[in-house]
Amino acid sequence: MPESILNLLTSCDAFVSGQEISTRLGVTRAAVWKKISGLRQKGFVIEAVPSKGYRLIRAPDLAADYLLPRVKGALWKDILVRDTVDSTNDLAISLAAKEGITPGTVIIADRQKSGKGRLGRRWESPGGKNIYMSMVIRPELAPRDVTMLTVLAAVAGARTIQKTGNIPVTIKWPNDLMLADKKLGGILTEVRADPDRINLAVIGIGINVNMRPADFPEELRNIATSVRSGAGHAVARNDIIIELLRELEHWYGILTKEGKKPLLHAWRKDSSTLGRKVRIAIGNTTMSGIAEDIDDNGMLQLKMHSGELRNISAGDITFLR
Ligand code: BTN
C-alpha cells in the first residue's frame, strides 16, 4: 500500500485529501495516517495540512518506491535499492545465477565494499554520496555487438549528467565520463553469452555525484571529479537515476530498432577523444598516434605516425599535447 499512496502523492504537486486517498485505496482514514507515518519513517517528507490533506515535499535520496513510477517506460521492471553490497554487478550476476532475475531489474546501492572498475581495478564507492547501479538486461544483440551496450551506457550517462547537472560532460574512449580532464563516472559491462546469443548482460554504472574534492582519496584528487563540483551545488541522486534509466531506454530502443549508426553518431558527438593526439597503454605495450574514429564495433581507430590505422579494443588513453 505505501506504493499506492506514493503514486497518488507523486502524480500531482497539489494536496491530496485524506478522504480521497482512503476512498481511492479502499482503506480507513486511520490506515492512511499509519501508512503516511511509515513513509515518513523511510525518509519521505510529507506535509499534512488540516482540511487540505497531504503533499509530498521530498523523497529520500535513494528510494525504489519513488523511482520506478517516475521512470515510466517499459524496459525497467523492478528496482532494488540496497544499503551496502560488495558490488552491484556481482550481486546482479549472483542473483541471476541463484534465483533467476527478471531482465529489466535495476540494482542500486548506497555503498559498495568492493566496487569493481575496468581492467580489474577498484571503484571508490563510499556511502551517502554517489550512484552505484547495475542494470540486468537480455539484449536482442549478437555477441559480437556487445560493446554497443557500453557505448549505449556512455551516451546515456553523458546525456543524463549534461541535463541534470547542466555541465559539459564528455566521453573518453572507451567509456569514461569526463568533466574537462577529470573522470566523473565509468561503466563496466559484464555478459553471459553462448557463441550465438547473449543470455544476460549486466551494465554497471558508477557516477560520482556529491563527492567533494576532499572526499576522494589523495591519489584520485587530481584525476577525479563529481557532478557537485561541476554544477556548484549538490544534486539529488534520485533525479539522476530517473533520467539515466529513461535515457538508457531511449537509446536501447534506437539501437534495437534503427541499428548502431545513430548511437555511434551520438557517441562521436559527445566524444572528447576523437581528433586528439593520444598514447594508449595496452597491458605492457604503449602506442601513440591520433584517435581517428571508432568503428562499428566500438573499437578505437588509431592513426599511427606511419599513417597506418590500428583498431584497438581495450586500453587506457592519455591525451598528449
Ligand atoms: C571504470 O573503471 O571506469 C568502470 C567503473 C564501474 C563502476 C560501477 S559502480 C556500479 C557497478 N558495480 C561495480 O562493482 N562496478 C560498477
Side-chain angles (χ1 to χ4, degrees), residues 87-89 112 115-118 123 133 176 183 186-187 204-206:
S87 145
T88 53
N89 269 28
Q112 298 186 117
K116 300 189 298 183
R118 241 168 31 92
W123 186 257
M133 167 168 158
D176 291 351
K183 183 159 167 170
I187 293 144
I205 303 190

Side-chain angles (χ1 to χ4, degrees), residues 14-168:
F15 283 94
V16 186
S17 73
Q19 185 57 54
E20 185 178 346
I21 299 175
S22 88
T23 311
R24 300 244 320 241
L25 304 183
V27 297
T28 64
R29 297 281 295 268
V32 170
W33 173 247
K34 206 165 150 207
K35 293 299 171 184
I36 293 276
S37 306
L39 286 172
R40 283 182 171 146
Q41 271 165 22
K42 283 190 189 175
F44 288 88
V45 179
I46 298 168
E47 188 182 11
V49 174
S51 82
K52 280 189 171 173
Y54 301 100
R55 187 161 67 124
L56 179 65
I57 303 291
R58 202 170 53 246
D61 198 20
L62 288 178
D65 296 351
Y66 178 79
L67 292 167
L68 198 53
R70 298 212 148 199
V71 171
K72 304 197 174 82
L75 185 60
W76 307 117
K77 309 279 189 252
D78 198 8
I79 298 183
L80 312 175
V81 176
R82 297 282 181 270
D83 187 26
T84 301
V85 300
D86 287 331
S87 145
T88 53
N89 269 28
D90 285 353
L91 180 58
I93 292 165
S94 83
L95 286 178
K98 275 193 227 133
E99 25 191 289
I101 194 167
T102 316
T105 300
V106 179
I107 299 178
I108 300 169
D110 180 57
R111 181 170 87 96
Q112 298 186 117
K113 286 189 285 185
S114 326
K116 300 189 298 183
R118 241 168 31 92
L119 307 171
R121 296 186 186 125
R122 179 185 152 75
W123 186 257
E124 201 53 39
S125 310
K129 297 175 190 302
N130 300 325
I131 293 173
Y132 317 111
M133 167 168 158
S134 297
M135 280 79 50
V136 181
I137 57 173
R138 186 169 293 140
E140 299 297 321
L141 287 178
R144 68 170 182 281
D145 289 338
V146 71
T147 44
M148 278 301 117
L149 293 177
T150 303
V151 171
L152 185 157
V155 169
R159 301 274 158 117
T160 295
I161 304 166
Q162 287 162 5
K163 282 193 221 163
T164 52
N166 201 14
I167 46 177

